[in-house]
Amino acid sequence: MAGHFQATPGGGASVALDEVEVAILRSLAVQLLELIGPGDQPVEGEDPLAALFAEGPSEPPADPALARLFPEAYGDEDKELREASAEFRRFTENDLRTRKREDALAVVRSLDALSPAADSGAVLTLTPDECHHWLGSLNDLRLTIGTRLEVSDEDEGKDGSLYRLPDSDPRKPMVMAYLWLGALQETLVETLMPD
């Protein structure tokens, strides 16, 4: 999976993807959407402004991957910090979930809009706005997979254990996806950096 983003005129980016890469990216983005959840749907007849001020959860998610996507704002060292984190979460988590859903949906939609080339691949071209959605979603995917794999800072180094997994290790496919997503994310960031 050697596709890397390249800058396009106007501040966008493009990457060549084969059918397998498209399928993997789409599947991961859909799984991320399922993990994040559908969100609160407005009730018919409800004031739309009321939804803007709806309170979210005050407790961190029990699922470690969701807890990584929606971390504590101030830590939990003492009671005051726990209370401040709960208050912050209550008023920000719903918006953060919405943004993460929008990012993942942008990935799915852009992949669904691809027209395969004759050699069973395609070139994905993103606008600057789509690039930002993709960056957010690639980051969320890496955080989720990294949490599921229990990746530590030491594992990410060039001599880390992620690079030395035997092919027989059942984690190997997810590790390969994790590393590939990291390369995509890195090259997308590079395309957005000013010269």
Side-chain angles (χ1 to χ4, degrees):
M1 296 184 214
H4 296 314
F5 280 99
Q6 297 179 340
T8 60
S14 66
V15 62
L17 299 169
D18 64 32
E19 283 184 27
V20 172
E21 292 168 329
V22 170
I24 291 170
L25 283 167
R26 189 181 190 293
S27 174
L28 290 172
V30 167
Q31 289 176 57
L32 181 62
L33 284 166
E34 290 170 358
L35 178 67
I36 293 169
D40 295 330
Q41 302 300 319
V43 177
E44 191 170 327
E46 183 179 69
D47 179 5
L49 288 177
L52 290 175
F53 300 102
E55 293 182 10
S58 59
E59 294 295 319
D63 182 319
L66 282 174
R68 184 70 175 102
L69 291 175
F70 305 103
E72 290 287 82
Y74 305 110
D76 60 358
E77 290 79 40
D78 63 38
K79 184 179 179 189
E80 278 186 37
L81 289 177
R82 283 191 301 275
E83 289 173 358
S85 284
E87 189 76 1
F88 184 80
R89 178 178 300 281
R90 208 164 49 115
F91 292 108
T92 62
E93 187 171 312
N94 286 344
D95 288 340
L96 185 55
R97 280 182 185 269
T98 298
R99 194 195 81 226
K100 289 179 182 298
R101 271 192 298 277
E102 288 170 357
D103 290 346
L105 277 171
V107 169
V108 171
R109 288 179 180 135
S110 59
L111 292 171
D112 286 349
L114 281 178
S115 299
D119 62 352
S120 69
V123 174
L124 173 69
T125 302
L126 303 174
T127 66
D129 190 47
E130 290 170 327
C131 287
H132 291 283
H133 285 297
W134 268 74
L135 271 178
S137 196
L138 288 171
N139 187 61
D140 291 342
L141 287 168
R142 288 195 76 237
L143 288 173
T144 301
I145 293 170
T147 301
R148 296 286 192 239
L149 291 170
E150 298 178 352
V151 172
S152 67
D153 291 339
E154 295 81 39
D155 294 328
E156 296 238 17
K158 293 269 187 251
D159 296 330
S161 62
L162 287 183
Y163 295 91
R164 296 189 310 264
L165 285 179
D167 289 342
S168 60
D169 191 311
R171 299 172 299 160
K172 182 90 177 217
M174 286 310 295
V175 167
M176 296 304 294
Y178 175 80
L179 296 172
W180 175 56
L181 291 170
L184 283 176
Q185 183 180 17
E186 182 179 343
T187 60
L188 184 52
V189 167
E190 288 170 1
T191 67
L192 299 176
M193 302 279 283
D195 292 330

